[in-house]
């Protein structure tokens, strides 16, 4: 058990929270008998009329059990950890704000199309942001020994989803669009227009120890 505890303790705090919440909600829906997917997925009617506000959060952490779930968790662990410990190192509040903004976008557009769970979209937002902020010359290992540049990686994931499901992966495309919107506002707009559109509210910093935001 100490090995498992050591593994979780070395994961940065935001990624660890996402990882545990995803496993926790998904496993409870599958095995608890008293929590079902219908209680946690997004439902506007129940949210607005019955004040089931938890659906704003829980709909990002419910997945179907199976091999795709394990792959999603691997991507969440790998790329969220990388983003949190590089681009947002010492800026935990800024990373939380990024996740909140992309989650709002994912929920609104996903709901408009008809989706009720948005975890996949959030993972793709994180992967896309990583692909645009990591070393562009490094190569990423993909399935079947294929290597490609990071900027193409999110699109390769969409292609795999298309080939395996036979349907356009709209939820993944929504995640990419949300990730790009954040990347553009944070990285490109300041260079082009000398203005900053992304500013983390101070109350987010105040919710955590100052050491987590030492580079803000």
């Amino acid at each position: 058990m100490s090995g498992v505890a050591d593994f979780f303790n070395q994961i940065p705090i935001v990624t660890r929270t996402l990882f545990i919440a995803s496993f926790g909600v998904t496993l409870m829906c599958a095995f608890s008998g008293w929590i079902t997917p219908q209680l946690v997925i997004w439902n506007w009617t129940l949210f607005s009329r019955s004040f089931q506000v938890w659906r704003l959060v829980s709909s990002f952490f419910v997945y179907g059990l199976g091999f795709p779930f394990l792959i999603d968790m691997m991507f969440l662990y790998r790329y969220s950890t990388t983003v949190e410990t590089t681009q947002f190192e010492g800026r935990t509040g800024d990373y939380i704000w990024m996740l909140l903004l992309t989650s709002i976008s994912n929920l609104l557009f996903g709901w408009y199309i008809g989706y009720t769970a948005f975890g996949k979209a959030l993972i793709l937002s994180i992967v896309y942001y990583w692909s645009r902020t990591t070393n562009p010359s490094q190569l990423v290992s993909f399935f079947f020994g294929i290597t490609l540049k990071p900027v193409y990686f999110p699109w390769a994931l969409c292609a795999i989803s298309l080939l395996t499901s036979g349907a356009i992966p709209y939820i993944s495309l929504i995640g990419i669009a949300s990730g790009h919107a954040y990347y553009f506002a944070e990285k490109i707009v300041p260079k082009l227009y000398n203005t900053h559109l992304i500013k983390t509210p101070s109350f987010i910093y105040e919710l955590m120890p100052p050491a987590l935001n030492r580079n803000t």
Side-chain angles (χ1 to χ4, degrees):
M1 290 299 293
S2 62
V4 175
D6 291 341
F7 168 74
F8 279 106
N9 288 334
Q10 60 87 28
I11 304 175
I13 185 170
V14 177
T15 301
R16 184 165 68 239
T17 301
L18 295 175
F19 194 72
I20 293 175
S22 297
F23 265 97
V25 174
T26 299
L27 293 179
M28 282 193 294
C29 287
F31 300 114
S32 71
W34 53 278
I35 294 180
T36 67
Q38 295 303 319
L39 287 175
V40 296
I41 61 174
W42 177 248
N43 185 308
W44 168 254
T45 301
L46 294 176
F47 168 75
S48 60
R49 297 182 182 179
S50 300
F51 305 105
Q52 296 183 5
V53 295
W54 64 83
R55 293 177 185 271
L56 280 172
V57 177
S58 62
S59 56
F60 286 90
F61 300 119
V62 58
Y63 299 80
L65 279 184
F67 185 68
F69 170 65
L70 297 179
I71 295 296
D72 285 340
M73 292 301 97
M74 181 188 72
F75 287 147
L76 175 63
Y77 165 72
R78 177 180 297 176
Y79 296 104
S80 182
T81 295
T82 302
V83 169
E84 188 173 355
T85 56
T86 55
Q87 293 296 318
F88 291 97
E89 196 277 328
R91 299 170 52 219
T92 300
D94 293 340
Y95 188 40
I96 291 174
W97 187 235
M98 174 222 169
L99 294 174
L100 286 174
L101 292 178
T102 53
S103 293
I104 291 171
S105 175
N106 288 329
L107 188 150
L108 291 176
F109 286 103
W111 172 38
Y112 178 78
I113 291 179
Y115 286 94
T116 56
F118 313 107
K120 183 79 170 184
L122 183 59
I123 292 173
L124 263 293
S125 294
I126 295 169
V127 170
Y128 180 87
Y129 185 86
W130 166 83
S131 75
R132 299 304 302 266
T133 56
T134 192
N135 180 358
S137 63
Q138 78 174 77
L139 294 177
V140 182
S141 297
F142 198 55
F143 297 110
F144 313 115
I146 298 172
T147 59
L148 63 166
K149 291 184 177 181
V151 69
Y152 301 120
F153 186 61
W155 305 105
L157 294 179
C158 288
I160 289 294
S161 294
L162 175 62
L163 291 174
T164 56
S165 68
I168 297 175
Y170 289 110
I171 195 67
S172 297
L173 295 174
I174 289 170
I176 289 175
S178 298
H180 177 74
Y182 181 88
Y183 168 78
F184 185 84
E186 186 204 35
K187 301 292 187 181
I188 305 302
V189 169
K191 295 178 181 179
L192 294 179
Y193 305 106
N194 195 30
T195 186
H196 293 271
L197 297 179
I198 304 294
K199 182 174 177 59
T200 303
S202 59
F203 78 87
I204 291 182
Y205 298 136
E206 295 168 359
L207 294 175
M208 60 196 72
L212 294 176
N213 296 296
R214 59 189 178 276
N215 293 331
T216 55

